[in-house]
Amino acid sequence: MQRIPILKMGPFLLVTIQVDLHDRLVMALQDDLTNMVSKTGARGVLIDISSLDMVDSFIGRMLGGIAAVTRLMDAQTVVVGMQPAVAITMVELGLDLPGVLTALNVERGMELLRSRLGLVREMAHDIDTKA
Amino acid sequence: MQRIPILKMGPFLLVTIQVDLHDRLVMALQDDLTNMVSKTGARGVLIDISSLDMVDSFIGRMLGGIAAVTRLMDAQTVVVGMQPAVAITMVELGLDLPGVLTALNVERGMELLRSRLGLVREMAHDIDTKA
Protein backbone atom coordinates (compact mmCIF):
# COMPACT_ATOMS: atom_id res chain seq x y z
CA MET A 1 0.00 0.00 0.00
CA GLN A 2 1.15 3.50 -0.83
CA ARG A 3 2.37 5.60 2.09
CA ILE A 4 3.19 9.26 2.33
CA PRO A 5 6.82 9.73 3.39
CA ILE A 6 7.62 11.69 6.55
CA LEU A 7 10.95 13.50 6.59
CA LYS A 8 12.71 14.38 9.81
CA MET A 9 14.35 17.81 9.76
CA GLY A 10 15.89 18.63 13.09
CA PRO A 11 13.09 18.98 15.66
CA PHE A 12 10.40 18.96 12.99
CA LEU A 13 8.71 16.47 10.71
CA LEU A 14 7.83 17.39 7.15
CA VAL A 15 5.09 15.81 5.06
CA THR A 16 4.30 16.86 1.52
CA ILE A 17 0.95 15.75 0.22
CA GLN A 18 1.04 15.06 -3.49
CA VAL A 19 -1.44 12.28 -4.01
CA ASP A 20 -5.19 12.10 -3.74
CA LEU A 21 -6.08 11.37 -0.17
CA HIS A 22 -8.54 8.68 0.74
CA ASP A 23 -9.63 7.29 4.09
CA ARG A 24 -7.07 4.54 4.43
CA LEU A 25 -4.17 6.69 3.30
CA VAL A 26 -5.15 9.37 5.80
CA MET A 27 -5.40 6.79 8.60
CA ALA A 28 -1.98 5.41 7.65
CA LEU A 29 -0.51 8.93 7.59
CA GLN A 30 -1.94 9.71 11.02
CA ASP A 31 -0.55 6.42 12.38
CA ASP A 32 2.87 7.00 10.83
CA LEU A 33 2.99 10.58 12.05
CA THR A 34 2.14 9.75 15.65
CA ASN A 35 4.69 6.94 15.61
CA MET A 36 7.33 9.27 14.23
CA VAL A 37 6.52 11.98 16.79
CA SER A 38 6.79 9.42 19.56
CA LYS A 39 10.02 7.91 18.18
CA THR A 40 11.83 11.14 17.36
CA GLY A 41 10.39 13.44 20.01
CA ALA A 42 9.60 15.95 17.25
CA ARG A 43 8.12 19.24 18.45
CA GLY A 44 6.47 20.29 15.24
CA VAL A 45 4.86 18.85 12.12
CA LEU A 46 4.81 20.72 8.80
CA ILE A 47 2.27 19.60 6.23
CA ASP A 48 2.87 21.01 2.77
CA ILE A 49 -0.27 21.16 0.62
CA SER A 50 1.16 23.25 -2.22
CA SER A 51 0.24 20.64 -4.79
CA LEU A 52 -3.37 20.39 -3.69
CA ASP A 53 -5.72 22.18 -6.08
CA MET A 54 -8.50 22.08 -3.61
CA VAL A 55 -9.16 21.45 0.05
CA ASP A 56 -12.61 20.06 0.78
CA SER A 57 -14.22 19.31 4.11
CA PHE A 58 -12.69 15.82 4.15
CA ILE A 59 -9.15 17.13 3.84
CA GLY A 60 -9.95 19.93 6.28
CA ARG A 61 -11.13 17.40 8.87
CA MET A 62 -8.09 15.25 8.21
CA LEU A 63 -5.73 18.18 8.82
CA GLY A 64 -7.64 19.13 11.96
CA GLY A 65 -7.49 15.54 13.18
CA ILE A 66 -3.75 15.29 12.68
CA ALA A 67 -3.25 18.62 14.45
CA ALA A 68 -5.37 17.45 17.39
CA VAL A 69 -3.53 14.15 17.74
CA THR A 70 -0.05 15.64 17.48
CA ARG A 71 -1.02 18.36 19.97
CA LEU A 72 -1.79 15.66 22.53
CA MET A 73 1.73 14.41 21.91
CA ASP A 74 3.18 17.87 22.46
CA ALA A 75 3.88 18.61 18.80
CA GLN A 76 2.42 21.57 16.94
CA THR A 77 1.11 21.14 13.40
CA VAL A 78 1.45 23.85 10.74
CA VAL A 79 -0.12 23.61 7.31
CA VAL A 80 2.03 25.35 4.71
CA GLY A 81 1.99 26.20 1.01
CA MET A 82 -1.72 26.67 0.45
CA GLN A 83 -2.38 28.01 -3.03
CA PRO A 84 -4.20 31.37 -3.15
CA ALA A 85 -7.08 29.88 -5.12
CA VAL A 86 -7.49 27.16 -2.52
CA ALA A 87 -7.70 29.72 0.27
CA ILE A 88 -10.32 31.72 -1.66
CA THR A 89 -12.44 28.64 -2.33
CA MET A 90 -12.23 27.56 1.30
CA VAL A 91 -13.52 30.91 2.49
CA GLU A 92 -16.29 30.87 -0.12
CA LEU A 93 -17.31 27.40 1.04
CA GLY A 94 -17.23 28.53 4.64
CA LEU A 95 -14.49 26.04 5.50
CA ASP A 96 -11.82 26.92 7.97
CA LEU A 97 -9.15 24.86 9.65
CA PRO A 98 -9.97 24.99 13.36
CA GLY A 99 -6.98 24.31 15.58
CA VAL A 100 -4.57 24.31 12.66
CA LEU A 101 -1.81 26.87 12.23
CA THR A 102 -0.98 27.95 8.71
CA ALA A 103 2.04 29.60 7.12
CA LEU A 104 2.92 30.76 3.62
CA ASN A 105 5.69 28.24 2.97
CA VAL A 106 7.93 25.73 4.72
CA GLU A 107 10.49 28.31 5.76
CA ARG A 108 7.86 30.58 7.33
CA GLY A 109 6.26 27.54 8.93
CA MET A 110 9.55 26.57 10.54
CA GLU A 111 10.04 30.11 11.79
CA LEU A 112 6.54 30.09 13.26
CA LEU A 113 7.17 26.78 15.00
CA ARG A 114 10.52 27.92 16.29
CA SER A 115 9.12 31.10 17.78
CA ARG A 116 6.11 29.27 19.24
CA LEU A 117 8.29 26.63 20.79
CA GLY A 118 10.96 29.04 21.93
CA LEU A 119 13.62 27.24 19.94
CA VAL A 120 16.74 29.03 18.78
CA ARG A 121 16.18 31.12 15.71
CA GLU A 122 19.76 31.48 14.54
CA MET A 123 19.22 28.65 12.11
CA ALA A 124 16.96 30.50 9.70
CA HIS A 125 19.04 33.59 10.19
CA ASP A 126 22.26 31.73 9.42
CA ILE A 127 20.90 30.38 6.22
CA ASP A 128 19.43 33.63 5.03
CA THR A 129 22.50 35.70 5.63
CA LYS A 130 25.39 33.40 4.87
CA ALA A 131 24.07 31.26 2.05
CA MET B 1 -1.20 18.33 -15.14
CA GLN B 2 0.21 17.01 -11.93
CA ARG B 3 3.46 18.57 -10.76
CA ILE B 4 5.86 17.55 -8.05
CA PRO B 5 6.21 20.34 -5.46
CA ILE B 6 9.64 21.83 -4.80
CA LEU B 7 10.20 23.19 -1.31
CA LYS B 8 12.78 25.85 -0.57
CA MET B 9 14.65 25.29 2.67
CA GLY B 10 17.31 27.92 3.17
CA PRO B 11 19.96 27.46 0.47
CA PHE B 12 18.55 24.12 -0.62
CA LEU B 13 15.59 22.80 -2.55
CA LEU B 14 13.77 19.68 -1.46
CA VAL B 15 11.77 17.37 -3.67
CA THR B 16 10.02 14.25 -2.43
CA ILE B 17 9.02 11.81 -5.10
CA GLN B 18 5.83 9.97 -4.21
CA VAL B 19 4.13 9.34 -7.48
CA ASP B 20 4.94 7.11 -10.41
CA LEU B 21 7.25 8.98 -12.70
CA HIS B 22 6.64 9.15 -16.40
CA ASP B 23 8.39 11.07 -19.14
CA ARG B 24 6.31 14.25 -19.05
CA LEU B 25 6.33 14.47 -15.27
CA VAL B 26 10.10 14.07 -15.24
CA MET B 27 10.50 16.76 -17.89
CA ALA B 28 8.23 19.08 -15.90
CA LEU B 29 10.20 18.39 -12.72
CA GLN B 30 13.51 19.14 -14.46
CA ASP B 31 12.06 22.38 -15.85
CA ASP B 32 10.63 23.44 -12.50
CA LEU B 33 13.84 22.59 -10.69
CA THR B 34 16.08 24.56 -13.02
CA ASN B 35 13.71 27.52 -12.82
CA MET B 36 13.71 27.34 -9.03
CA VAL B 37 17.50 27.07 -8.88
CA SER B 38 17.79 30.09 -11.14
CA LYS B 39 15.16 32.08 -9.23
CA THR B 40 16.32 31.28 -5.71
CA GLY B 41 20.04 30.85 -6.26
CA ALA B 42 19.83 27.53 -4.44
CA ARG B 43 23.15 25.76 -3.94
CA GLY B 44 21.84 22.27 -3.46
CA VAL B 45 18.94 20.02 -4.41
CA LEU B 46 17.76 17.14 -2.23
CA ILE B 47 15.65 14.47 -3.86
CA ASP B 48 13.93 12.14 -1.43
CA ILE B 49 13.10 8.74 -2.91
CA SER B 50 12.10 7.01 0.33
CA SER B 51 8.71 6.09 -1.02
CA LEU B 52 10.06 4.49 -4.19
CA ASP B 53 9.97 0.70 -4.01
CA MET B 54 12.26 0.39 -6.95
CA VAL B 55 14.65 2.43 -9.03
CA ASP B 56 14.95 1.26 -12.60
CA SER B 57 17.19 2.53 -15.35
CA PHE B 58 14.63 5.17 -16.34
CA ILE B 59 14.56 6.70 -12.88
CA GLY B 60 18.33 6.33 -12.61
CA ARG B 61 18.80 8.27 -15.86
CA MET B 62 16.30 10.88 -14.68
CA LEU B 63 18.20 11.42 -11.43
CA GLY B 64 21.50 11.59 -13.32
CA GLY B 65 20.00 14.09 -15.77
CA ILE B 66 18.72 16.36 -13.02
CA ALA B 67 22.09 16.20 -11.25
CA ALA B 68 23.90 17.11 -14.49
CA VAL B 69 21.61 20.05 -15.24
CA THR B 70 21.71 21.49 -11.73
CA ARG B 71 25.50 21.07 -11.65
CA LEU B 72 25.75 23.35 -14.69
CA MET B 73 23.78 25.85 -12.66
CA ASP B 74 26.15 25.53 -9.72
CA ALA B 75 23.85 23.47 -7.53
CA GLN B 76 24.72 20.03 -6.21
CA THR B 77 22.13 17.25 -6.22
CA VAL B 78 21.88 14.65 -3.46
CA VAL B 79 19.54 11.68 -3.59
CA VAL B 80 18.37 10.73 -0.10
CA GLY B 81 16.25 8.10 1.61
CA MET B 82 16.88 5.13 -0.64
CA GLN B 83 15.36 1.98 0.85
CA PRO B 84 17.82 -0.84 1.57
CA ALA B 85 15.97 -3.22 -0.74
CA VAL B 86 16.19 -0.67 -3.55
CA ALA B 87 19.94 -0.33 -3.10
CA ILE B 88 20.35 -4.13 -3.18
CA THR B 89 18.27 -4.47 -6.33
CA MET B 90 20.16 -1.67 -8.04
CA VAL B 91 23.50 -3.37 -7.38
CA GLU B 92 22.11 -6.71 -8.56
CA LEU B 93 20.87 -5.08 -11.74
CA GLY B 94 24.22 -3.40 -12.25
CA LEU B 95 22.68 0.05 -12.02
CA ASP B 96 24.52 2.87 -10.40
CA LEU B 97 23.87 6.57 -10.24
CA PRO B 98 26.82 8.20 -11.99
CA GLY B 99 27.41 11.79 -10.95
CA VAL B 100 24.79 11.63 -8.22
CA LEU B 101 25.61 12.00 -4.53
CA THR B 102 23.59 9.93 -2.09
CA ALA B 103 22.90 10.20 1.63
CA LEU B 104 20.92 8.14 4.13
CA ASN B 105 18.26 10.73 4.87
CA VAL B 106 17.43 14.41 4.41
CA GLU B 107 19.39 15.52 7.47
CA ARG B 108 22.53 13.68 6.38
CA GLY B 109 22.04 14.99 2.85
CA MET B 110 21.92 18.56 4.12
CA GLU B 111 25.04 17.98 6.18
CA LEU B 112 26.79 16.58 3.12
CA LEU B 113 25.78 19.57 1.01
CA ARG B 114 26.80 21.99 3.71
CA SER B 115 30.25 20.49 4.07
CA ARG B 116 30.69 20.24 0.28
CA LEU B 117 29.66 23.82 -0.22
CA GLY B 118 31.55 25.13 2.78
CA LEU B 119 28.40 26.55 4.30
CA VAL B 120 28.10 27.10 8.03
CA ARG B 121 27.30 23.95 9.90
CA GLU B 122 25.95 25.42 13.12
CA MET B 123 22.45 24.90 11.86
CA ALA B 124 22.43 21.12 12.12
CA HIS B 125 24.39 21.36 15.35
CA ASP B 126 21.94 23.82 16.84
CA ILE B 127 19.00 21.66 16.08
CA ASP B 128 20.58 18.46 17.36
CA THR B 129 21.71 19.88 20.66
CA LYS B 130 19.08 22.38 21.61
CA ALA B 131 15.89 20.84 20.32
Side-chain angles (χ1 to χ4, degrees):
Chain A
M1 192 192 128
Q2 193 184 26
R3 285 188 115 81
I4 297 175
I6 301 169
L7 307 180
K8 182 172 177 295
M9 324 218 41
F12 306 132
L13 302 178
L14 174 65
V15 180
T16 61
I17 295 179
Q18 298 173 24
V19 291
D20 287 335
L21 295 164
H22 50 80
D23 284 33
R24 280 182 55 202
L25 191 59
V26 167
M27 293 305 296
L29 175 62
Q30 202 164 355
D31 271 8
D32 292 349
L33 259 179
T34 46
N35 283 333
M36 277 287 274
V37 169
S38 145
K39 206 168 69 186
T40 62
R43 301 296 311 280
V45 176
L46 295 139
I47 303 182
D48 177 80
I49 59 165
S50 56
S51 59
L52 294 189
D53 288 325
M54 103 138 186
V55 171
D56 55 16
S57 59
F58 171 70
I59 297 178
R61 263 200 315 280
M62 180 278 288
L63 294 171
I66 286 177
V69 172
T70 57
R71 198 177 308 120
L72 290 176
M73 303 181 73
D74 194 26
Q76 185 86 50
T77 295
V78 183
V79 170
V80 301
M82 189 184 291
Q83 291 179 24
V86 171
I88 292 168
T89 311
M90 284 184 67
V91 170
E92 282 173 355
L93 292 176
L95 289 174
D96 55 358
L97 297 173
V100 179
L101 291 173
T102 52
L104 189 64
N105 54 37
V106 178
E107 287 180 324
R108 296 270 190 97
M110 286 197 172
E111 249 177 75
L112 176 65
L113 281 175
R114 243 175 256 123
S115 68
R116 282 241 169 184
L117 300 170
L119 296 178
V120 280
R121 299 191 56 178
E122 288 93 57
M123 179 181 150
H125 186 71
D126 260 3
I127 294 178
D128 287 346
T129 53
K130 297 183 190 170
Chain B
M1 194 191 129
Q2 193 184 26
R3 286 189 115 82
I4 298 176
I6 301 169
L7 307 180
K8 181 170 180 296
M9 324 218 41
F12 307 132
L13 301 177
L14 174 65
V15 179
T16 61
I17 295 180
Q18 299 174 25
V19 290
D20 287 337
L21 295 164
H22 51 80
D23 285 32
R24 281 182 55 201
L25 191 58
V26 168
M27 294 305 296
L29 176 61
Q30 202 163 354
D31 270 8
D32 292 347
L33 260 178
T34 46
N35 282 333
M36 277 286 274
V37 169
S38 143
K39 205 169 66 182
T40 63
R43 302 297 312 279
V45 175
L46 296 138
I47 302 181
D48 177 80
I49 59 166
S50 57
S51 59
L52 294 189
D53 289 326
M54 106 136 185
V55 171
D56 56 16
S57 58
F58 170 69
I59 297 178
R61 262 202 314 281
M62 180 278 288
L63 293 171
I66 285 177
V69 172
T70 57
R71 199 177 307 118
L72 290 176
M73 302 183 74
D74 194 26
Q76 184 85 52
T77 294
V78 183
V79 170
V80 302
M82 189 184 292
Q83 291 179 23
V86 171
I88 292 169
T89 312
M90 284 184 67
V91 170
E92 282 173 357
L93 292 176
L95 288 175
D96 56 358
L97 297 173
V100 179
L101 291 174
T102 52
L104 188 64
N105 53 38
V106 178
E107 287 180 324
R108 295 267 190 98
M110 286 199 172
E111 250 177 74
L112 176 66
L113 281 174
R114 244 175 254 122
S115 67
R116 283 244 168 180
L117 300 170
L119 296 178
V120 281
R121 299 191 56 177
E122 288 92 55
M123 180 182 149
H125 187 71
D126 261 1
I127 295 178
D128 289 346
T129 53
K130 297 183 191 170

